[in-house]
Every structure is written in C-alpha cells, then in structure tokens.
Amino acid sequence: MIYKYDDKNNMKDFVDREKILSLLKNQVEPDIEEIKEICEKSLQISDALSIEDVSKLIAVSNPDTLELIYNYAAKIKNKVYDNRIVVFAPLYAANLCVNNCLYCGFRSENREAIRKVLSMDEIKKETEVLAGEIGHKRLIFVVGESPLTGAEYIADSLKTIYSVKVKTRRGVSSIRRVNVNAAPMSVEDLKLIKNAGIGTYQVFQETYDKELYKKLHPPKTPKADFNYRLYAHHRAFEAGIDDVAIGALFGLGDWRFEVLGLVTHARELEKVFGIGPHTVSFPRLEKACASDYSGVSISDDEFKKIVAILRISIPYAGLIVTCREKPEVIREVIPFCTQRDASTRIGIGAYSERYSKQALERQQFELGDTRTLEEVIGELADLGYITSFCTAGYRCNRTGDHIMKMLKSGRESRFCKLNAILTFREWLEDFASDEIKNKCELLIEKEIEDVFKDSDRFSPKLKKMLIDYYEKIKKGERDLYF
C-alpha cells in the first residue's frame, strides 16, 4: 500500500528557504512597543505568531527589549504549564548507524566507536536501574538508524521496558511513559511501535537549511533525503501517533534560520493536522567521537535568546533543555522550559554497567551536566520549581487535538500542578535522602497551599481529591493521578 506521505511526489519542501533568508537579510531592530505587542499576542496562547513576527523577535539586540522578551517567555511558560519541571532520562540502546553525518559520533565511518546493541535482557537491566534506583517514570528511547534496530526492535524494547516492576522503600516503581527518538519510518512501521505503546515520536530535522543539510549528510545514505525526514511527523499522524516532537541541532549553521525553520514546521503541522508539536528541542552541537566538525559557535547569551523566542513563538509546546548544557546554562533557561533530563548516561548500557567517566567511543556526544537526579531536584527546589514525574495526560487521552485545546486554553496547567504534587510525593517517599526530603517538604506544602488559595482553577472537589490521593500516596499507594 502506498501512503500519502511515503510518496515522494507528494512531499514538497514546505520550508521556504528564500523567504527565510530574505527576512534575515532585511532585519531592522524593532522598538520595544512593537515587541511588547507581539509578546502580548503570544500570551493569549491561541493566536499563532507569524514568521514575520518571529523574525522581529530574532532581530532584537537592545538589552531592555531582551529583558522584556525573557519576562514574557517566563510568564507564558507559567501560564501554560505552571511552575513545574518534568524530568526524564534517555536510554540509549544501540549506536549502530548506516548514516554518515559529519557531526555525529554514531556515524558509520567512525572507526573509534565501540558498537553495541542491547539485548532485551540488557534493556531490562537498564530499566531496573532507571526505575528502581533513580526513580524515573519516563524515558526517551534512542537508537541509531540500522536494520538491526528498526521498528520490530523498538516495539520489543518498549514492551520490555513497560514490563519492569521494581520494589522501592514504600511501593513499586515502573516506567509509565516511553518516548522514542529514532529514524524516520514508514506508516506501517510507525503503526507497529504505536501498538507497542510509544509515547511521543521524536525526530529532529537537524538543520532546516536544505543546502547546509546536503553538505552535512552524504549522499547514498537514508538521511540524505531531506524531504523524507521533513515529513516524518506527517507519517506519524497518519499512523495514529498524535504526539510528535521536533527539534534542530543548533550550531550546525545560522541559529536564526533554525528558529524560523522550527516555527515553520510547527505551523505546517498545525495547518495540516490541527495539532502542533508536543515538544520542541534545541540541543547545541557538542564534541563527538572522531568528529572534527566544529560548526558555528553559539554563545550562552544567544542560547538563552533562542529558548525564550521559541517559548514565545510556540507557546503551547513543551520545551526540553538537556544535559548537553552545563548547569549554569540550564539555570538561565529553565524559566522558559518544561522538561529536562537528569542522572543522564548516554553510553550504551551505561546505567547498569555503572562506569563513571564519560566514554566518547561509547556515546553520541559529550555531556555538560552529569549530576544526579537528586542533585537536580534539590537545585530546582532552591529555584522554586516543583519536580514532576507526571505521565497522566497520556493515559487520560489528553493527547493530540485534545491536549492542544487544553494547553491553548490554559486549562491543562491545573492538571500539571496537581499531578506534579502527587508524583513528587511518590518520589520523595520512595527515593529521596533525608536531606533532600526535608528541603522539599516546604516546597510541596507551598504548592498545596497555592491550590487551596486558587478557587478559579481548582474546585472544592479537586481540592478534596488532591488531599485524598496525597494521603494515600504517603501510605504506600502509587500511580494516583488526575
């Protein structure tokens, strides 16, 4: 059967390269009132900014106007998602890859890499550490592109991960949500991993500049096909996967082009399917094994500007900052973000094998933040953020069009706050040291107080349910959610 988005004749390049280059070439510094008007429009959440609006945000260099952008970005994030930060961990299962991307440690011509594909038993061991010792509830499952790690391998891995149950101090822990970062697939393959319980399907375009893309991805490799990758999410929707994630690898080229490319991609999905990306990622290029591709340097100040602009430009989307970044950089951008990883190890089998140093020959790139989950949670608490392990929305069918409506209306923030409180209580009971538990008790009490003070968002019934669930969790019940 030939599907619409498998047919190359139907895959037109929807990223208008010449228009983006023209907007960037003709930029003029906007005044603060014009930027305030754009930010106010974004604050309504439901009104999408145009590419022209976003290009004006990019053109800002005035410190006062930049500060206005940062303030609005934080305000928008809090309106849509409240003050919680969801944590997750990556599980790298294989570094075999048939592609030869110039910047990647997995590329086929890298002779220094130690290649490995985890067996189902090894995936189980990795999961036991992640769920049973660290306390994670959601993972991003990562593989390179290889016939040995295609849809059937991914589907079997998802089933294995979900099957793991580990006893903790007070209850039983398991992984409740597995997102997948993998190569573009056919509709038939995507249906297979949907039936295995995939969460969000994540494919990064790497760069939206088609000319640069050609230089970085050699011909006669699957990844050389720019348009097939560009339509990966279209095929996911056709396969029935309604939560998709987009991203670009910043540092390959002009960051301004990539921001406009990401926004263009989001608008395309909104136009065709009525559903934008569930999350957006913006990793920066880092050192990789046997790669001398240095790319374009992006300063920490530019990175902060990038993240704030993406928050304003795609206000409903979750924004993910990762352990590629150093802790001090993450602290700067976390007010605009919704998710981050922690206790991250990206070597193949690195959680269960417990080797402490980063080994570039076994991982895709170098990490900037290697702190434990408990250290990250402590820092977030110091900054006033509650850590969330929530996966409830996906199991309550708040996905796809449903979640988009909830996010754009601001109604989803209620569930974000309630489920953050409950899942954080779980983690404190099952995994926290006395020191971190004592530190976080005051924070969680404040969150509950905030709920009881807010009669606009939280009805008496919701407040009563919160306390009922909260006390049950303290007594050992698990996985209670709204």
Side-chain angles (χ1 to χ4, degrees), residues 101-124:
C101 311
L102 301 187
Y103 49 85
C104 183
F106 285 2
R107 72 188 187 286
S108 59
E109 289 185 4
N110 178 7
R111 304 305 179 203
E112 297 179 23
I114 300 173
R115 305 290 179 174
K116 184 175 177 63
V117 177
L118 297 183
S119 67
M120 292 304 118
D121 283 343
E122 289 170 321
I123 287 173
K124 182 179 179 182

Side-chain angles (χ1 to χ4, degrees), residues 345-347 350 354-363 370:
R345 297 184 180 185
I346 59 173
R354 304 177 191 278
Y355 56 84
S356 58
K357 291 184 179 180
Q358 295 195 61
L360 278 184
E361 70 276 7
R362 295 182 61 171
Q363 59 193 61
T370 57

Side-chain angles (χ1 to χ4, degrees), residues 15 47 79-80 141 189 202 215-216 232 265 271 279 310 319 325 331 370 372 380 399 413 456 472 478:
V15 180
D47 296 331
K79 179 178 180 180
V80 179
F141 183 80
D189 282 347
Q202 185 183 78
K215 295 176 182 177
L216 297 174
H265 200 163
K271 180 179 75 174
T279 59
L310 288 172
L319 295 190
E325 302 299 333
R331 282 193 290 272
T370 57
T372 66
L380 289 174
T399 61
S413 66
D456 292 332
K472 287 179 178 178
R478 294 292 173 265

Side-chain angles (χ1 to χ4, degrees), residues 331-381:
R331 282 193 290 272
E332 283 294 307
V333 302
I334 205 70
F336 322 136
C337 297
T338 59
Q339 297 185 31
R340 64 153 300 170
D341 54 329
S343 285
T344 294
R345 297 184 180 185
I346 59 173
I348 312 302
Y351 294 106
S352 54
E353 291 185 31
R354 304 177 191 278
Y355 56 84
S356 58
K357 291 184 179 180
Q358 295 195 61
L360 278 184
E361 70 276 7
R362 295 182 61 171
Q363 59 193 61
Q364 193 176 23
F365 51 84
E366 190 171 60
L367 295 173
D369 186 358
T370 57
R371 292 176 297 168
T372 66
L373 176 57
E374 181 157 295
E375 289 173 314
V376 167
I377 286 173
E379 179 181 78
L380 289 174

Side-chain angles (χ1 to χ4, degrees), residues 29 78 87 120 165 180 185 187 218 238 253 297 327 333-335 363 378 415 430 439 466:
E29 174 97 17
N78 200 61
V87 291
M120 292 304 118
K165 304 286 186 284
V180 173
M185 300 182 201
V187 173
E238 192 170 346
S297 178
V333 302
I334 205 70
Q363 59 193 61
F415 298 111
D430 287 343
K439 173 187 282 194
L466 172 64

